[in-house]
Amino acid sequence: MIPLPITDPTWIFFIVLGIILIAPMILERLRVPAIVGMIAAGVLIGPHGFNILARDSSFELFGKVGLYYIMFLAALEMNLQDLWKIRYKALVFGLLSFIIPIALGFGANTLILGASVVAGVLMSAMYASHTLVSYPIILRYGLSRRESVNLAVGSTIVADTLTLLMLAVVGGSFKEAHSDFFLLWLVLKTIAIGATIVFLFPMLARLFFRSFNEGVIQYIFVLSLVFLGAGLMEFVGMEGILGAFLAGLALNKHIPATSPLMTHIEFVGNALFIPYFLIGVGMIVDVGALKSIEAVKIALVMIIVSTLGKWLAARVVRRVYHLHKTEGALLFGLTNARAAATLAIVIVGYEIHLPDGSRLLNEQVLNGTMLLILVSCLISSLVTERSARKLALDTEEAPARPDTVQPHMLIALSNPTTVEPLINMALLLRSTQKRTLITAVNIIRDDKPNAQERGLQLLERAAQIAASANVHVQTRSRWSVNIVSGLSHSMKEADANALMIGLHHKAHLFEKFFGRLATDLFRAVDKQIIVYRPLSSPNTIRHLQLFVPDNAEYEPGFAEWAAHIAQLAGQLSCRINVHAGKHTQRALKIFWAKQRYSLQATYNEYTDWDNFLPLAIQTRESHLAVFIIARPGTLSYQNYFARMPEQLERHFTARNLMIILPAQYRGTYGREDALPPA
């Protein structure tokens, strides 16, 4: 007979992994969210269920990591540009989701449950907080950029910050040493630490990512910052979840959504830490505590009032901002779950002893809170799953544009030092909606047969880098009499619409800036050509300096490169500074607006193209300079293009550089009516 609870670490970990593996498989057939299964499994195996496992230190450790992970991922997945546009809506929703539950809760706690004023305030704070437990469902359906999701995540900052401040004030009022300026001092410390996280962490990330490219080291660095932020918040008297959330906001622009680092972060969290946290939450619930009528009454009041408060807040916001009914349901689903702050509040209240020896929040309130956490997480998961699935299906069933085809990008690899930056840039430019195909090709000249093995190693490395971001890259090794001919034929064979190459490194002083290879490619390939020279990691880029010649909007490939620039800016969450003529600026504005790209762009009229020095002064180390150029004889070709290589070499030697030659055929991005009139 195996003694229960099991204490052997090996078997504990095996049982937990078994639950993480089997629960989603079973519940998927029952159309029940996997999150519900994790919590229910925790109830069954926990000390209040079959007592198979005790809630030991491993659940506290991994559970805390999982909780921080949820908050960190929620901030990391946000589109800050979209959130900034709806910041006032998020503020309003956050205040409503805090004030309405507080008001309803305080009235119910004091009038129905007979709680004291202080206990009533503390219990109502539990109703006002919410944890994004069901956020992994949003990630699974790819809805993290929806306005309703950004509203819910943005409101988390407001509601949880106010809730945690309330907790700190009530908890601090029962301490022996209590200053009259306690609240003011707490707010000042919180603002100071928050500002430190928001402004210092990005600086550290930029310095670190410029020096280290290895995936494991970057992941450990990011996780260290998450716990540093959480620890600093706990140090000043706030809950660590706020610090983890702010760390996600601070690192948001430095971890692109399609990067291998983001894939690693999501994988580890969703595979281990977040399920561990959910199982640990279930282990706290004591269903057997509902033996007395009073306990049932407390639990029902807490569940009904808290759920009603969040539902009313979501409904008011949906009505005020004219959101779709499904979007309103998603708002309610995301903000209804309680876990982190609620646990902190009830534990603090349970540990506070009043002068008569009783607890501020007794055992019945503690058990009622555990049931509140369970039921709220169940409701949140079910509602979020249903509404997210409906939104995803509505999006997928939208009619596809008849004149679009699947984009295909070809990457020419020949230099081991440029393999990683070229693949990473291709991942950033890759359209996830249109599922851009990526093919890495290495051309072997007939007179250099010994280069085949080296080329195969480059292709294997490229496939590994892309696989770490869950992207399949096709590889192709091709023999040819020369590189230009090989790439030209590879473009035709693959039916690719874009070619990416690394910028030539000059071997001799009098060698051309582009080199003979690029110059010959410009003549041989009429598809879009992207020449990229990275001096730092793409995730350190903060601005795109886009230089566009006059009449570029009339070129057939205008829509393609404009879409690529918008895609890159969206992935990096960075601003675009457009330097172009008035008509070209207008064309870009029209195109990006019709294609519904969410961008932060500033437009500068620039006409002195014979002198790049003023442009170089505006381009800093954290910028990417993007030049749109043209082939001779095309509509946007200008005389200064003949002198451009000399200008680039003189003024942009120490800058990240990208040069794009638009295609000379009708591209695959957008419809004809999305283009500016010719």
Side-chain angles (χ1 to χ4, degrees):
M1 188 69 180
I2 301 176
L4 297 178
I6 296 173
T7 57
D8 185 88
T10 303
W11 288 105
I12 291 175
F13 207 68
F14 170 75
I15 292 172
V16 171
L17 290 179
I19 294 172
I20 296 173
L21 174 66
I22 296 173
M25 297 168 59
I26 296 176
L27 294 173
E28 185 178 358
R29 296 178 177 273
L30 302 176
R31 296 184 177 274
V32 176
I35 293 176
V36 176
M38 299 297 174
I39 298 175
V43 176
L44 294 176
I45 68 171
H48 304 297
F50 294 104
N51 197 29
I52 298 175
L53 298 179
R55 196 173 189 277
D56 58 11
S57 58
S58 68
F59 285 95
E60 295 180 7
L61 173 63
F62 283 95
K64 202 159 198 176
V65 176
L67 180 56
Y68 292 163
Y69 236 100
I70 290 175
M71 302 303 295
F72 176 65
L73 275 177
L76 204 60
E77 289 282 350
M78 282 193 302
N79 186 330
L80 294 184
Q81 294 177 354
D82 289 343
L83 181 61
W84 181 252
K85 291 179 180 179
I86 62 169
R87 59 190 182 277
Y88 297 116
K89 294 182 181 179
L91 177 62
V92 170
F93 183 37
L95 291 173
L96 287 175
S97 63
F98 174 79
I99 294 173
I100 293 177
I102 284 284
L104 292 177
F106 182 76
N109 295 335
T110 55
L111 299 178
I112 300 176
L113 301 181
S116 64
V117 173
V118 178
V121 169
L122 201 57
M123 290 174 65
S124 62
M126 292 191 292
Y127 309 156
S129 69
H130 60 259
T131 303
L132 298 171
V133 169
S134 56
Y135 195 79
I137 297 175
I138 298 298
L139 298 180
R140 179 155 49 86
Y141 282 105
L143 300 175
S144 59
R145 301 275 172 116
R146 301 284 298 211
E147 181 180 3
S148 55
V149 175
N150 286 326
L151 274 175
V153 176
S155 70
T156 301
I157 307 174
V158 179
D160 281 6
T161 300
L162 294 175
T163 299
L164 295 174
L165 281 172
M166 183 178 291
L167 170 62
V169 171
V170 174
S173 64
F174 284 92
K175 294 181 179 179
E176 294 182 4
H178 178 245
S179 171
D180 293 335
F181 299 98
F182 171 75
L183 177 58
L184 178 61
W185 179 233
L186 176 65
V187 172
L188 291 176
K189 289 190 296 183
T190 303
I191 293 174
I193 294 299
T196 300
I197 294 173
V198 171
F199 292 105
L200 179 61
F201 281 19
M203 296 172 57
L204 295 176
R206 282 194 295 270
L207 293 174
F208 190 88
F209 290 149
R210 285 173 185 167
S211 304
F212 301 96
N213 293 322
E214 210 280 319
V216 175
I217 296 178
Q218 289 185 345
Y219 175 78
I220 297 300
F221 169 76
V222 169
L223 203 61
S224 300
L225 289 186
V226 174
F227 275 85
L228 176 60
L232 289 174
M233 277 298 171
E234 290 185 341
F235 178 75
V236 299
M238 295 292 285
E239 285 297 312
I241 56 174
L242 182 58
F245 190 88
L246 291 177
L249 289 178
L251 298 177
N252 181 285
K253 293 184 177 181
H254 297 277
I255 306 178
T258 58
S259 65
L261 178 57
M262 174 63 85
T263 304
H264 297 157
I265 292 172
E266 290 180 340
F267 174 78
V268 176
N270 294 328
L272 184 61
F273 292 133
I274 294 177
Y276 229 111
F277 162 70
L278 296 172
I279 293 172
V281 170
M283 295 175 73
I284 300 175
V285 178
D286 183 8
V287 181
L290 297 177
K291 295 179 180 179
S292 65
I293 297 178
E294 186 64 22
V296 173
K297 177 183 176 182
I298 292 175
L300 286 177
V301 169
M302 294 178 71
I303 293 170
I304 293 172
V305 173
S306 61
T307 304
L308 179 62
K310 293 297 183 182
W311 180 81
L312 286 174
R315 185 173 179 82
V316 170
V317 168
R318 182 177 75 84
R319 292 285 188 180
V320 171
Y321 295 119
H322 308 290
L323 299 177
H324 190 271
K325 185 178 180 180
T326 308
E327 299 268 9
L330 192 64
L331 281 177
F332 167 64
L334 284 171
T335 58
N336 187 64
R338 277 84 172 173
T342 302
L343 278 173
I345 291 170
V346 73
I347 290 173
V348 169
Y350 183 75
E351 293 177 349
I352 292 177
H353 292 271
L354 300 175
D356 60 359
S358 62
R359 298 180 183 273
L360 180 61
L361 301 180
N362 57 31
E363 288 82 357
Q364 292 178 334
V365 174
L366 177 64
N367 289 324
T369 303
M370 297 303 107
L371 286 174
L372 168 63
I373 292 173
L374 175 62
V375 174
S376 66
C377 289
L378 292 177
I379 295 174
S380 174
S381 302
L382 292 171
V383 174
T384 303
E385 176 79 23
R386 182 179 177 183
S387 53
R389 181 179 179 83
K390 187 173 181 181
L391 284 175
L393 289 175
D394 291 343
T395 302
E396 291 176 1
E397 290 173 359
R401 293 172 178 172
D403 58 336
T404 60
V405 296
Q406 188 174 27
H408 191 167
M409 180 179 291
L410 198 74
I411 308 172
L413 301 179
S414 60
N415 188 342
T417 60
T418 60
V419 172
E420 186 168 352
L422 285 176
I423 294 296
N424 285 334
M425 179 54 68
L427 294 176
L428 294 175
L429 293 174
R430 174 178 177 266
S431 172
T432 55
Q433 294 179 344
K434 298 185 180 183
R435 300 175 183 176
T436 303
L437 297 176
I438 299 177
T439 297
V441 63
N442 174 253
I443 305 300
I444 309 165
R445 287 171 49 179
D446 292 340
D447 59 345
K448 294 185 177 181
N450 295 331
Q452 183 177 17
E453 183 177 352
R454 177 172 172 270
L456 292 175
Q457 292 175 352
L458 296 180
L459 296 177
E460 183 180 358
R461 174 61 180 155
Q464 291 174 349
I465 296 171
S468 65
N470 283 338
V471 175
H472 173 68
V473 167
Q474 302 176 19
T475 58
R476 178 176 298 183
S477 181
R478 196 182 197 284
W479 292 83
S480 181
V481 292
N482 60 68
I483 305 298
V484 173
S485 177
L487 289 176
S488 177
H489 286 98
S490 295
M491 290 286 290
K492 295 176 182 177
E493 292 167 359
D495 194 22
N497 66 293
L499 172 65
M500 179 183 289
I501 62 175
L503 183 61
H504 165 75
H505 291 278
K506 293 177 62 174
H508 306 288
L509 179 62
F510 297 103
E511 198 170 357
K512 291 184 178 180
F513 176 77
F514 285 118
R516 175 168 294 185
L517 170 63
T519 304
D520 292 343
L521 272 175
F522 296 166
R523 299 191 184 99
V525 177
D526 64 348
K527 307 294 179 69
Q528 178 177 273
I529 299 177
I530 302 172
V531 185
Y532 178 48
R533 184 189 66 191
L535 296 183
S536 60
S537 178
N539 55 4
T540 64
I541 295 173
R542 299 276 54 84
H543 281 81
L544 297 183
Q545 299 285 358
L546 177 62
F547 309 104
V548 189
D550 290 339
N551 299 325
E553 65 271 26
Y554 300 117
E555 297 284 359
F558 170 80
E560 280 187 274
W561 68 256
H564 274 143
I565 295 300
Q567 173 74 14
L568 181 60
Q571 288 291 330
L572 296 175
S573 297
C574 62
R575 177 181 292 274
I576 305 176
N577 293 332
V578 179
H579 305 270
K582 290 183 178 180
H583 294 291
T584 306
Q585 293 177 23
R586 176 181 174 274
L588 281 170
K589 290 178 183 178
I590 293 174
F591 175 77
W592 286 335
K594 285 191 175 183
Q595 297 298 307
R596 297 181 180 178
Y597 287 112
S598 178
L599 300 172
Q600 287 185 336
T602 56
Y603 298 87
N604 310 281
E605 187 175 4
Y606 196 83
T607 56
D608 187 15
W609 294 98
D610 289 324
N611 182 18
F612 280 4
L613 180 58
L615 301 178
I617 293 175
Q618 298 181 43
T619 306
R620 301 178 181 176
E621 187 179 359
S622 60
H623 295 187
L624 173 64
V626 183
F627 286 86
I628 309 300
I629 64 176
R631 298 170 175 85
T634 57
L635 291 172
S636 61
Y637 184 80
Q638 310 291 337
N639 291 330
Y640 62 78
F641 282 145
R643 299 182 298 277
M644 178 176 281
E646 179 185 347
Q647 295 266 27
L648 293 177
E649 186 175 14
R650 179 184 301 173
H651 300 298
F652 287 87
T653 302
R655 295 293 181 264
N656 297 297
L657 186 62
M658 178 180 287
I659 300 163
I660 299 179
L661 271 79
Q664 288 304 309
Y665 73 105
R666 184 60 66 190
T668 61
Y669 287 90
R671 302 180 303 181
E672 301 297 327
D673 60 6
L675 299 176

